[in-house]
């Protein structure tokens, strides 16, 4: 008899079934599980079994990864969802809205970097002190040349 809150055994999928349906390697599923992105339950024979809703979680993980969202951020987002059901359209709307601002900021940053590449053609990265791409926001440059951070270390 299944534990309270767990799915019936016939509703559960093996790691191989999840791998086949998601297109991921079994090792990737194990990694996702160790990382806290997905969860399994153990069968009477101590084999991993997954609820069908894990397939939708995996789809969300893969889309978020394509957007460049770090796994830690994906895990935090998935932690806000109930573990006992598949993510809904409303859940996806909330998660994707939270990632949209980050994506927009990265697009702006990358556009700015792309537009600054023209200036690199002239300097060839020989002007490290003036290169906004190689040395962005160099706050120590005003203190002179050399290794400024090393000055703060005590003498040995």
């Amino acid at each position: 008899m299944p534990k309270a809150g767990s799915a019936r055994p016939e509703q559960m999928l093996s790691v191989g079934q999840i791998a086949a349906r998601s297109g991921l390697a079994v090792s990737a599923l194990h990694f996702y599980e160790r990382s806290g992105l997905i969860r399994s339950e153990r069968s009477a024979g101590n084999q991993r079994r997954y609820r069908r809703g894990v397939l939708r979680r995996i789809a969300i993980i893969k889309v978020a990864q394509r957007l460049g969202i770090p796994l830690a951020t994906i895990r935090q987002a998935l932690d806000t969802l109930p573990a006992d059901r598949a993510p809904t359209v409303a859940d996806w709307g909330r998660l994707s809205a939270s990632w949209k601002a980050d994506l927009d900021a990265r697009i702006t940053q990358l556009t700015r970097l792309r537009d600054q590449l023209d200036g690199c053609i002239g300097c060839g990265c020989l002007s490290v002190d003036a290169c906004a791409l190689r040395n962005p926001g160099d706050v120590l440059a005003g203190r002179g040349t050399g290794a400024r951070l090393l000055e703060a270390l005590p003498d040995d």
Side-chain angles (χ1 to χ4, degrees):
M1 177 153 217
K3 297 185 282 187
S6 66
R8 293 192 320 254
E10 65 272 12
Q11 294 176 327
M12 303 292 280
L13 299 171
S14 71
V15 69
Q17 290 170 313
I18 295 293
R21 290 182 182 200
S22 68
L24 293 176
V26 170
S27 59
L29 295 171
H30 291 172
F31 173 76
Y32 283 178
E33 191 170 351
R34 281 191 313 274
S35 299
L37 296 164
I38 61 174
R39 293 187 187 129
S40 69
E41 298 175 24
R42 294 292 180 156
S43 70
N46 201 31
Q47 296 174 330
R48 285 181 171 91
R49 293 290 185 250
Y50 296 88
R51 295 172 182 259
R52 291 181 185 277
V54 79
L55 290 166
R56 193 165 297 158
R57 282 181 179 261
I58 291 168
I60 289 172
I61 293 165
K62 296 310 294 175
V63 168
Q65 284 183 301
R66 284 198 70 190
L67 295 173
I69 307 295
L71 285 179
T73 303
I74 297 169
R75 185 186 66 245
Q76 289 171 342
L78 291 175
D79 284 348
T80 67
L81 304 178
D84 62 344
R85 67 166 171 77
T88 64
V89 172
D91 292 332
W92 171 248
R94 189 170 41 81
L95 296 180
S96 63
S98 71
W99 294 330
K100 187 175 188 276
D102 176 62
L103 187 57
D104 287 341
R106 285 189 287 133
I107 289 169
T108 299
Q109 179 186 24
L110 288 171
T111 301
R112 191 175 312 122
L113 287 170
R114 182 203 60 208
D115 294 345
Q116 291 174 346
L117 281 175
D118 290 342
C120 276
I121 293 170
C123 88
C125 286
L126 297 176
S127 180
V128 174
D129 61 334
C131 182
L133 295 177
R134 174 66 180 95
N135 195 16
D138 185 4
V139 295
L140 296 176
R143 294 180 54 197
T145 61
R148 295 286 147 212
L149 293 178
L150 295 178
E151 290 178 353
L153 295 175
D155 292 331
D156 288 332

